[in-house]
């Protein structure tokens, strides 16, 4: 065995094999390219002081170095120099500069992220990938849009009744979910229950009107009438929405992604562990569940669920670029501790800025190579085994789970 030749071959596959980005969001439109603080690239924190603090993290230092190299700046360029330079670049050139090195073949875009009017539609991203972008439908955003419509219609008819709203909303939601499940452009669903009421989703089959629910709808209606906004954050209501989506997705053979773990300060951290999801996982054995964001810092728990439930899959994303290199390697080691390698998938969680796709890909490939290279050197893995892990994690698993029917784009 020639270890150097083997490692060269492994490196070639890791850094060049086409990838399916199984969870991402849209780019900001050119006219809004600077409308969101660029520090969001390297942190989930919010608020002026927290964003300033984020520029002193390892994630920022590393991103600064890597982006300076991408932009052709001096190795000594600092974060402010990087930000200033990107503002001067033509936007299309910036997007292509970031996307071409990634070797992403297809992106699955959750287009329900806030600020939709500032972001490009999912199909716009086709220009950067060999295969056409597909949609992931965000369950809670769909439910909120429908509820707004129901409230507006009842106001128009001067018949604002909470019980009537419920009776019309439930079939409307079911119809909308079934329409999405039947849409060839939609390859899955996503829930942000983690952000709203936590991952301890109760198993339920119906949404019966009662006094607390009617009070909730009265309150939501008044808020919507006065501000035009509406946010679903009631456990009973949200749990029902998730259950209905789980049932319909399972019938259609389409996965449901769940935000787990790492997120901004809107989550309750103790309720963001996927361990809370065991009752839901058991209740819908025919529904494929994808645990997003490596479930960090609950990666071990996610690996366990992936190993023991046949309908659970694990995404290792978002930790690139938020964690330092050793943290990223440790997450990947935890993913590989227990989870079957035919059930793990990669994503950038790219959003707003093309650089998020670039860093999310570059750092993920680097971390995976370093973890596998160490195991090959120690004779824990053969070269074919290591290469198999790479191809499954970056392409084959997502291709199968989301029923994409793709062939790897020629390298």
């Amino acid at each position: 065995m020639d270890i150097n030749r083997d490692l060269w071959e492994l490196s070639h596959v890791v850094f060049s094999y086409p990838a399916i980005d199984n969870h991402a969001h849209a780019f900001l439109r050119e006219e809004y390219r600077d409308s969101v603080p660029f520090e969001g690239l390297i942190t989930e924190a919010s608020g002026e002081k927290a964003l300033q603090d984020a520029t002193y993290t390892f994630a920022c230092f590393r991103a600064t170095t890597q982006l300076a190299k991408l932009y052709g700046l001096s190795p000594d360029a600092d974060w402010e120099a990087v930000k200033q330079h990107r503002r001067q670049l033509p936007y299309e050139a910036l997007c292509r500069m970031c996307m071409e090195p990634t070797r992403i073949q297809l992106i699955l875009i959750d287009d329900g992220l806030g600020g939709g009017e500032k972001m490009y539609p999912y199909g716009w991203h086709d220009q950067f990938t060999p295969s056409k972008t597909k949609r992931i439908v965000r369950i809670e955003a769909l439910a909120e849009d429908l509820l707004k419509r129901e409230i507006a219609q009842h106001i128009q008819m001067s018949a604002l009744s909470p019980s009537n709203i419920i009776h019309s909303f439930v079939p409307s939601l079911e119809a909308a979910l079934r329409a999405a499940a039947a849409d060839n452009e939609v390859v899955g669903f996503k829930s942000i229950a983690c952000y709203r009421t936590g991952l301890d989703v109760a198993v339920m089959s119906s949404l019966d009107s009662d006094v607390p629910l009617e009070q909730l709808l009265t309150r939501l209606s008044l808020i919507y009438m006065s501000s035009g906004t509406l946010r679903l954050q009631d456990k009973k209501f949200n749990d029902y929405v998730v259950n209905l989506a789980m049932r319909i997705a399972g019938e259609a053979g389409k996965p449901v992604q769940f935000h787990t773990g790492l997120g901004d300060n809107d989550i309750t951290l103790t309720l963001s562990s996927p361990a809370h999801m065991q009752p839901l996982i058991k209740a819908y054995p025919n529904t494929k569940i994808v645990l997003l964001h490596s479930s960090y810092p609950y990666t071990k728990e996610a690996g366990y669920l992936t190993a023991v439930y046949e309908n659970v899959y694990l995404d290792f994303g978002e930790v690139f670029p938020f964690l330092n290199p050793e943290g990223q390697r440790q997450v990947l080691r935890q993913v590989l501790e227990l989870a079957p390698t035919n059930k793990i998938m990669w994503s950038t969680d790219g959003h707003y800025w093309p650089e998020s796709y670039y860093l999310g890909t570059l750092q993920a490939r680097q971390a995976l190579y370093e973890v596998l290279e160490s195991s090959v050197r120690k004779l824990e893995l053969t070269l074919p085994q290591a290469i198999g892990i790479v191809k499954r994690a970056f392409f084959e698993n997502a291709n199968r789970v989301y029923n994409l029917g793709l062939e790897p784009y020629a390298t």
Side-chain angles (χ1 to χ4, degrees):
M1 180 182 74
D2 185 337
I3 188 66
N4 291 326
R5 185 182 63 192
D6 284 357
L7 293 178
W8 180 90
E9 186 174 349
L10 176 62
S11 174
H12 174 73
V13 175
V14 170
F15 289 101
S16 67
Y17 202 72
I20 294 171
D21 188 348
N22 98 104
H23 177 72
H25 308 276
F27 288 10
L28 289 166
R29 293 179 182 270
E30 182 172 5
E31 59 269 33
Y32 295 108
R33 60 184 289 181
D34 298 314
S35 64
V36 182
F38 192 53
E39 285 72 21
L41 180 72
I42 43 88
T43 183
E44 284 277 17
S46 58
E48 185 177 353
K49 180 62 169 64
L51 291 176
Q52 282 182 343
D53 292 341
T55 64
Y56 293 92
T57 61
F58 204 128
C60 186
F61 299 151
R62 189 184 186 200
T64 300
T65 300
Q66 291 177 331
L67 293 180
K69 183 177 180 181
L70 176 69
Y71 299 156
L73 302 178
S74 162
D76 298 327
D78 62 13
W79 182 246
E80 289 304 316
V82 164
K83 292 202 305 183
Q84 181 178 356
H85 183 80
R86 77 176 300 273
R87 280 195 291 266
Q88 298 169 353
L89 291 172
Y91 195 56
E92 183 179 349
L94 174 64
C95 292
R96 295 199 180 280
M97 179 190 300
C98 292
M99 292 300 291
E100 284 177 1
T102 65
R103 299 203 60 78
I104 294 174
Q105 179 167 332
L106 176 140
I107 310 169
L108 307 185
I109 287 187
D110 162 18
D111 53 8
L113 189 65
E117 72 285 349
K118 295 182 178 182
M119 301 162 78
Y120 284 110
Y122 76 97
W124 179 87
H125 302 76
D126 290 351
Q127 62 188 295
F128 303 114
T129 57
S131 301
K132 290 187 175 182
T133 308
K134 296 294 185 179
R135 285 187 67 209
I136 299 290
V137 171
R138 185 177 290 209
I139 298 164
E140 289 81 6
L142 176 63
E144 286 170 347
D145 287 343
L146 288 172
L147 191 55
K148 288 177 187 176
R149 189 182 71 187
E150 293 295 337
I151 292 172
Q153 287 177 348
H154 280 78
I155 291 172
Q156 226 173 16
M157 296 184 298
S158 300
L160 189 58
S161 161
S163 59
N164 288 341
I165 290 174
I166 282 291
H167 291 146
S168 57
F169 168 77
V170 169
S172 295
L173 177 61
E174 180 167 355
L177 288 169
R178 291 195 181 281
D183 187 344
N184 289 332
E185 290 296 293
V186 174
V187 296
F189 296 90
K190 179 191 175 183
S191 171
I192 54 168
C194 185
Y195 273 111
R196 299 302 175 84
T197 53
L199 291 176
D200 57 337
V201 178
V203 176
M204 57 194 302
S205 59
S206 62
L207 186 64
D208 299 321
S209 183
D210 57 18
V211 172
L213 188 58
E214 292 186 4
Q215 290 175 339
L216 167 71
L217 285 169
T218 299
R219 185 168 67 252
L220 289 175
S221 299
L222 291 172
I223 293 171
Y224 180 65
M225 289 166 63
S226 62
S227 67
T229 62
L230 187 149
R231 178 181 171 89
L232 281 180
Q233 199 163 358
D234 174 81
K235 182 156 176 51
K236 179 180 177 180
F237 205 109
N238 286 65
D239 286 359
Y240 172 75
V241 169
V242 171
N243 275 266
L244 182 59
M246 287 287 288
R247 177 165 58 83
I248 291 171
E251 292 170 359
K254 295 191 175 181
V256 181
Q257 301 177 341
F258 280 84
H259 180 110
T260 63
L262 186 62
D264 60 36
N265 60 12
D266 199 24
I267 67 169
T268 299
L269 186 59
T270 54
L271 293 178
S272 70
S273 167
H276 292 290
M277 295 177 61
Q278 277 186 283
L280 193 71
I281 292 167
K282 292 177 181 179
Y284 297 96
N286 296 321
T287 303
K288 293 177 282 189
I289 295 170
V290 180
L291 306 176
L292 293 175
H293 310 319
S294 314
S295 299
Y296 180 86
Y298 304 106
T299 309
K300 286 179 178 285
E301 288 89 333
Y304 171 82
L305 295 171
T306 306
V308 301
Y309 294 107
E310 63 181 65
N311 59 327
V312 177
Y313 301 82
L314 178 54
D315 156 77
F316 60 99
E318 195 175 18
V319 295
F320 318 101
F322 288 167
L323 302 190
N324 74 2
E326 181 53 36
Q328 293 172 355
R329 290 189 290 270
Q330 191 61 38
V331 165
L332 275 173
R333 291 187 188 104
Q334 291 180 6
V335 167
L336 294 171
E337 278 179 5
L338 196 58
T341 62
N342 64 336
K343 298 181 73 183
I344 61 174
M345 295 177 283
W346 162 83
S347 70
T348 59
D349 193 35
H351 59 289
Y352 295 159
W353 312 278
E355 291 91 340
S356 63
Y357 284 81
Y358 175 75
L359 294 176
T361 307
L362 175 67
Q363 294 185 10
R365 291 187 187 272
Q366 183 68 40
L368 186 58
Y369 172 74
E370 290 170 354
V371 169
L372 295 179
E373 181 258 0
S374 175
S375 289
V376 170
R377 282 189 182 277
K378 295 174 183 176
L379 305 182
E380 297 167 345
L381 287 173
T382 66
L383 177 64
Q385 288 169 342
I387 287 176
I389 291 172
V390 175
K391 291 181 176 181
R392 287 190 290 274
F394 281 136
F395 189 92
E396 293 172 3
N397 295 342
N399 193 33
R400 183 186 75 255
V401 171
Y402 294 99
N403 303 305
L404 300 174
L406 298 176
E407 292 294 331
Y409 189 70
T411 57

